Amino acid sequence: MADELVFYTNPRSRGRIARWMLEEVGQPYRTEVLDYGTTMKEPAYLAVNPMGKVPALRHGDAVVTETAAICAYLADAFPQAKLAPPPGDRLRAPYYRWMFYAAGPIEAAVTNKAFGFAVPPEREVSVGYGNFGRVMNTLEDAVSHGDYLVGNSFSAADVYLGSQIGFGLMFGTFEKRPAFERYWDRLKARPAYIRAGEIDNALMPPAKPAG
Ligand SMILES: N[C@@H](CCC(=O)N[C@@H](CS)C(=O)NCC(=O)O)C(=O)O
């Protein structure tokens, strides 16, 4: 089937973001679960993503990796889902802006902080995200102007950037600012988000008994 969507993931990964996007799009897709350290690093999967990381998506003979790119690709491939402003629309400006901001500065700032990498203040001028506090302030402003990031409509930018806020609030890597909590409360009530979570939760390995 030329246009089959195949979703490569692990339920304990950023693949949860891509699945949420797939559920928003509403097209049928087949899931292949890869395991850390084993099938993720085998030749069959390295042919899909040489990074040996999930998620990845195959659409017919096209492959897209990188969670933000998967969300953007799906929004454009299935415009009937109305998850991105159409190409040429001025709203494409904030759409690109927040998508790239989430994949670059936010991801780097949050990961570096979580793993204890501190940027010396005199080097902030050369580091793409400057400093963590400025990223948080910029983000707080972005989610405070309306219900969604782009115009008045929910978009793939909310799936991707919103997921970073959701994970950040859950794992304590984000400051619990009321604006983040209000924004995330709105997003996490979406039926597609709930459905995606249920599918991934059902794929989680059973918890090992204590002792
Ligand atoms: N930049 C990639 C990061 C993907 C990534 O790091 N995935 C992790 C799980 S969240 C992974 O597959 N790790 C397996 C490994 O590196 O062996 C994206 O945004 O999709």
Side-chain angles (χ1 to χ4, degrees):
M1 206 197 306
D3 291 321
E4 186 188 25
L5 282 168
V6 184
F7 175 45
Y8 303 90
T9 192
N10 179 288
R12 226 189 280 263
S13 79
R14 291 166 172 86
R16 282 188 175 245
I17 305 172
R19 190 188 291 282
W20 176 14
M21 184 67 195
L22 280 159
E23 291 295 320
E24 292 283 356
V25 162
Q27 294 293 315
Y29 62 93
R30 177 165 65 79
T31 301
E32 286 201 13
V33 176
L34 284 306
D35 290 319
Y36 284 96
T38 58
T39 46
M40 243 182 249
K41 301 293 186 224
E42 283 173 1
Y45 184 63
L46 293 176
V48 175
N49 184 3
M51 290 288 285
K53 283 179 174 281
V54 291
L57 182 76
R58 184 192 292 284
H59 185 202
D61 56 8
V63 169
V64 55
T65 67
E66 297 302 312
T67 310
I70 292 170
C71 292
Y73 175 81
L74 284 169
D76 287 350
F78 301 100
Q80 64 274 27
K82 295 195 183 330
L83 292 164
D89 190 310
R90 291 286 171 95
L91 286 175
R92 207 71 179 181
Y95 174 69
Y96 278 141
R97 176 188 190 182
W98 297 120
M99 207 65 155
F100 284 88
Y101 189 70
I106 298 176
E107 162 109 15
V110 171
T111 310
N112 280 356
K113 184 155 193 291
F115 293 114
F117 299 120
V119 176
E122 69 278 11
R123 290 302 177 91
E124 287 175 6
V125 66
S126 317
V127 171
Y129 66 84
N131 65 52
F132 184 81
R134 196 174 294 177
V135 170
M136 289 294 119
N137 292 343
T138 301
L139 204 45
E140 178 170 5
D141 189 55
V143 300
S144 298
H145 291 291
D147 285 355
Y148 304 112
L149 290 166
V150 179
N152 296 319
S153 309
F154 176 81
S155 74
D158 295 298
V159 172
Y160 185 64
L161 188 149
S163 293
Q164 303 227 12
I165 293 182
F167 282 127
L169 292 174
M170 191 190 326
F171 295 118
T173 53
F174 255 67
E175 294 166 10
K176 284 200 186 311
R177 298 189 183 184
F180 295 154
E181 293 183 306
R182 275 195 302 272
Y183 174 66
W184 181 239
D185 284 349
R186 198 152 47 236
L187 298 190
K188 76 180 187 197
R190 292 185 67 83
Y193 173 79
I194 295 168
R195 210 163 48 241
E198 286 169 354
I199 297 169
D200 274 319
N201 290 344
L203 290 171
M204 291 284 277
K208 292 202 178 101

